[in-house]
């Protein structure tokens, strides 16, 4: 595991977790989710990074929720980090956002659709932050070598790769677990984005669908094949979440899921 400031339980031998809401909807909601996840991960000794997007740039419709304001949301992420002593991760979408977001968070995330954008990868690398690059839905695990190279050759060795499935037809994704092993061959930590891989994008309604009933299935398989980390978006009430509610895990189900996943982790380590 690469070094991430404020990451607790990094020597526990467990997988690490990136978890939180899809988008920062407000301070109270973010703090509520963070407090719950911190309690769970401390008891289970799971390294945890709080996830929250300060802005949602990739939306199906013009009237879709995009955020509460960049600085306001970033300050909430900063407060979560300070109050709970946990590292945070958020997406960036343009080169100009890299330095701005880096002032508030510990990990910068490159969205899957942007993983080939050289200028964006270089700008992120130059902040010196840990960079989490999501594998494009249109790419193989092997081809993510070039994203790693762009960041490392820009002077930053702190790279994480995350799989989130591959496009299957027009409105579905499938997970090819061979990609976990292919990306681990690049000598970087590899994460399975469990919830986004269960999206059903490009619905005629303009609202992305999902198959949250399969969260446990995808997560179990990812741990079994050796994923270093899991990415799980969670919310107290996904039905009212302002972004990606169709594929998020209800917050009250997180602990039970993690307990099952730890048993698999312990089994494969034996």
């Amino acid at each position: 595991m690469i070094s991430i400031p404020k990451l607790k339980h990094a020597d526990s031998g467990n997988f690490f977790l990136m978890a939180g809401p899809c988008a920062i909807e407000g301070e109270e909601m973010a703090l509520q989710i963070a407090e719950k996840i911190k309690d769970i991960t401390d008891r289970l000794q799971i390294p945890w990074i709080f996830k929250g997007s300060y802005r949602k740039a990739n939306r199906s419709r013009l009237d879709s929720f995009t955020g509460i304001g960049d600085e306001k949301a970033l300050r909430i992420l900063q407060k979560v980090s300070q109050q709970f002593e946990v590292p945070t991760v958020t997406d960036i979408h343009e080169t100009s956002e890299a330095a701005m977001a880096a002032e508030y968070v510990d990990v910068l995330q490159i969205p899957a659709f942007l993983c080939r954008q050289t200028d964006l990868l270089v700008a992120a690398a130059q902040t010196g932050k840990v960079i989490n690059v999501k594998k494009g839905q249109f790419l193989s695990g092997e081809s993510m070598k070039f994203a790693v190279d762009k960041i490392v050759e820009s002077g930053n060795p702190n790279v994480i790769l995350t799989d989130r499935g591959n496009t299957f037809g027009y409105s579905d994704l499938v997970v090819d677990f061979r990609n976990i092993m292919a990306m681990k061959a690049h000598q970087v930590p590899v994460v399975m984005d469990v919830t986004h891989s269960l999206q059903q994008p490009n619905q005629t309604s303009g609202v992305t669908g999902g198959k949250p009933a399969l969260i446990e299935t995808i997560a179990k398989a990812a741990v079994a094949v050796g994923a270093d980390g899991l990415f799980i978006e969670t919310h107290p009430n996904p039905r009212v979440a302002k972004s990606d509610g169709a594929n998020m895990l209800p917050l009250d189900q997180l602990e039970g899921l993690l307990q099952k996943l730890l048993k698999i982790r312990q089994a494969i380590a034996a």
Side-chain angles (χ1 to χ4, degrees), residues 6 19-27 29-31 34 48-55 68-92 100-108:
K6 299 188 288 290
C22 178
I24 298 299
E25 301 174 9
E27 181 176 307
M29 179 273 291
L31 295 176
W48 166 54
I49 303 167
F50 179 84
K51 184 271 169 184
S53 295
Y54 74 91
R55 189 197 322 157
I68 60 174
D70 292 356
E71 185 175 359
K72 183 178 180 180
L74 285 167
R75 288 192 181 280
I76 290 172
L77 283 164
Q78 186 178 54
K79 183 171 183 177
V80 168
S81 180
Q82 294 171 343
Q83 183 165 325
F84 298 102
E85 298 183 331
V86 60
T88 54
V89 56
T90 198
D91 316 75
I92 59 172
M100 174 185 70
E103 295 183 13
Y104 297 90
V105 301
D106 304 283
V107 182
L108 298 179

Side-chain angles (χ1 to χ4, degrees), residues 3 6 13 31 56 96 106 120 135 230 245 256:
S3 177
K6 299 188 288 290
L31 295 176
K56 301 300 295 183
S96 61
D106 304 283
L120 181 60
K135 183 186 73 62
L230 298 174

Side-chain angles (χ1 to χ4, degrees), residues 171-173 194-203 207-215 244-248:
S171 301
D172 205 359
L173 298 168
V194 178
T195 47
H196 282 110
S197 69
L198 291 169
Q199 283 184 333
Q200 292 181 301
N202 306 320
Q203 300 295 305
V207 178
T208 296
K211 297 181 179 179
L214 293 174
I215 288 174
D244 279 359
N247 50 271
M248 275 202 279

Side-chain angles (χ1 to χ4, degrees), residues 18 21 24 30 86 114 147 176 179 181 199 210 226 235 241 264:
M18 293 184 178
I24 298 299
V86 60
L114 301 177
D176 181 350
N179 282 323
M181 304 314 297
Q199 283 184 333
H235 192 283
I264 297 174

